Amino acid sequence: MTVRPTLAVVGATGAVGTVMLQILSQHADIWGEIRLVASPRSAGRKLTVRGEEVEVVAVSEEAFDGVDIAMFDVPDEVAARWAPVAAAKGAIVVDNSGAFRMDPDVPLVVPEVNPHAARRRPRSIVASPNCATLSMIVAIGALHAEFGLRELIVSSYQAVSGAGRAGIETLRSQLAMVAGTELGTSPGDVRRSVGDETGPFPAPLALNVVPWVGSLREDGWSSEEMKVRDESRKILGLPGLKVTATCVRVPVVTTHSMTVHARFEDEVTVDKAREILATAPGVVLFDDPAEGEFPTPADVVGTDPTWVGRVRRSLDDTAALELFVCGDNLRKGSALNTAQIAELIASEFTA
Ligand SMILES: NC(=O)c1ccc[n+]([C@@H]2O[C@H](COP(=O)([O-])OP(=O)(O)OC[C@H]3O[C@@H](n4cnc5c(N)ncnc54)[C@H](OP(=O)(O)O)[C@@H]3O)[C@@H](O)[C@H]2O)c1
């Protein structure tokens, strides 16, 4: 194996890939070659990483020649097709898509919570969780380690970039349509103005919130809601954890927010919870409502940590806490977590 591993970034041109290139340029440079891969549409484009222009190559078997670690920031079906090819060619894959997360032979890793899981990878694939799960799981993992988690009831307020470049473009064009108008004052006026231009969303997002993220699953649940449940259980190693999620899209470009009701084994105190959150790696406690201090997506965007505010003990349950959590879905919610996993694995190469 090479001392400085060769890295492939598959999906380098996408919303997550773009942030990945920024992160790779900001973090300690542990990589040998960084190869940028996307669809044939992008072949020949030049992108900047580590201050140098690198030409994008189309995905192919040869694109993985000599690659030690391959990050996949592409749609599920593209990862399902190409990640096993990269693994067969000797690369360790770190996959950001949903294609392998619930495969029992693929660990689902958040380095602050379950770094040990990344060492067992029978398929040579390690998965990074969905952005909604990642928005809260670092803070929840820290509280679980102290108090023992029994139940999560969460509502998400998810940004449009969770739906990739198409999501960002849709919100920006809708905002341009409604800016400076009196829209939002009579039933359906925004919908009529926006017309069919709802992009990847089932309803207009400008001047609106939409209680739907993902695709329809059994009994009215959405795929995003099931991901929050299944992935939280797998990361925390709590297969029986009670989880209820309601996922909502809001007109925010980047940074997901969550309200969290977390119930633990025994009585909890706000003081102890605050102490844990204030010292947990990757978490910032920002919680002084008297001073107007709580996280908001507009302030959190572009930052790495999970920001926690509004920490309260439930009025009717001394074993439960209420939190408001914000995390940048393109940084910790996807690219940063993937980069951290890749760096964790790369450290094995030089150990
Ligand atoms: N956005 C988030 O907050 C977030 C969070 C966690 C996980 N994820 C996951 O990360 C993945 C990427 O999401 P994104 O938001 O970055 O999507 P995106 O903006 O739509 O970008 C998609 C990327 O995949 C590439 N691609 C598409 N079809 C391809 C093909 N047939 N062969 C090779 N490359 C192909 C695109 O290349 P071209 O430019 O050449 O088309 C582009 O680089 C998805 O699985 C998503 O679920 C996203």
Side-chain angles (χ1 to χ4, degrees), residues 41 50 71 127 144 200 248 327:
R41 294 179 290 274
R50 297 185 295 188
M71 295 170 171
H144 166 58
V248 180

Side-chain angles (χ1 to χ4, degrees), residues 2-332:
T2 48
V3 175
R4 283 166 74 86
T6 294
L7 174 71
V9 181
V10 188
T13 51
V16 176
T18 302
V19 174
M20 183 64 80
L21 300 191
Q22 292 164 10
I23 288 173
L24 291 170
S25 305
Q26 292 160 351
H27 281 200
D29 184 14
I30 60 165
W31 305 106
E33 182 192 352
I34 296 183
R35 197 170 302 166
L36 306 185
V37 183
S39 80
R41 294 179 290 274
S42 302
R45 261 185 74 186
K46 291 204 166 85
L47 301 175
T48 302
V49 61
R50 297 185 295 188
E52 286 169 21
E53 278 202 333
V54 178
E55 190 168 310
V56 176
V57 298
V59 69
S60 68
E61 283 200 29
E62 298 70 52
F64 299 106
D65 282 346
V67 169
D68 296 302
I69 298 180
M71 295 170 171
F72 275 72
D73 301 312
V74 294
D76 293 3
E77 63 282 7
V78 181
R81 160 87 175 83
W82 289 102
V85 173
K89 296 209 82 173
I92 297 165
V93 170
V94 185
D95 182 33
N96 204 3
S97 83
F100 300 98
R101 288 183 191 136
M102 296 315 296
D103 183 326
D105 287 330
V106 172
L108 184 63
V109 176
V110 181
E112 294 88 340
V113 182
N114 63 342
H116 51 278
R119 289 212 161 243
R120 188 191 159 270
R121 34 179 197 256
R123 295 190 65 182
S124 291
I125 301 173
V126 177
S128 183
N130 167 264
C131 47
T133 311
L134 271 172
S135 309
M136 60 162 187
I137 203 71
V138 178
I140 297 304
L143 293 168
H144 166 58
E146 177 71 23
F147 296 132
L149 188 64
R150 283 287 170 86
E151 182 173 11
L152 282 175
I153 301 174
V154 304
S155 288
S156 72
Y157 304 75
Q158 294 184 229
V160 295
S161 61
R165 282 174 315 199
I168 301 172
E169 285 159 17
T170 299
L171 179 63
R172 291 213 187 280
S173 92
Q174 289 180 2
L175 288 175
M177 288 181 207
V178 302
T181 70
E182 298 288 312
L183 290 166
T185 49
S186 66
D189 60 357
V190 173
R191 201 182 269 276
R192 280 191 297 279
S193 163
V194 164
D196 293 334
E197 297 192 27
T198 60
F201 311 117
L205 261 176
L207 308 178
N208 210 6
V209 298
V210 179
W212 191 256
V213 182
S215 51
L216 184 61
R217 292 290 181 266
E218 273 177 41
D219 298 325
W221 295 97
S222 74
S223 55
E224 191 84 349
E225 290 157 354
M226 297 313 291
K227 285 177 188 176
V228 171
R229 174 184 169 89
D230 296 340
E231 295 179 17
S232 298
R233 289 173 160 190
K234 184 167 176 176
I235 297 159
L236 297 171
L238 296 172
L241 183 68
K242 292 183 185 177
V243 183
T244 304
T246 301
C247 290
V248 180
R249 191 77 72 180
V250 295
V252 166
V253 175
T254 296
T255 293
H256 292 346
S257 307
M258 305 268 245
T259 56
V260 178
H261 170 89
R263 211 171 139 266
F264 300 94
E265 281 164 19
D266 296 308
E267 194 167 312
V268 292
T269 66
V270 166
D271 282 351
K272 186 66 188 170
R274 291 175 62 96
E275 186 188 316
I276 293 162
L277 294 167
T279 52
V283 177
V284 172
L285 177 67
F286 189 59
D287 188 26
D288 190 354
E291 297 296 324
E293 288 186 355
F294 28 70
T296 71
D299 296 319
V300 162
V301 62
T303 69
D304 285 347
T306 301
W307 294 70
V308 185
R310 305 295 326 280
V311 182
R312 291 148 291 154
R313 191 166 74 171
S314 302
L315 291 173
D316 300 313
D317 186 348
T318 58
L321 291 168
E322 313 296 328
L323 315 169
F324 185 76
V325 182
C326 287
D328 184 321
N329 52 294
L330 294 178
R331 290 191 75 90
K332 185 61 185 172

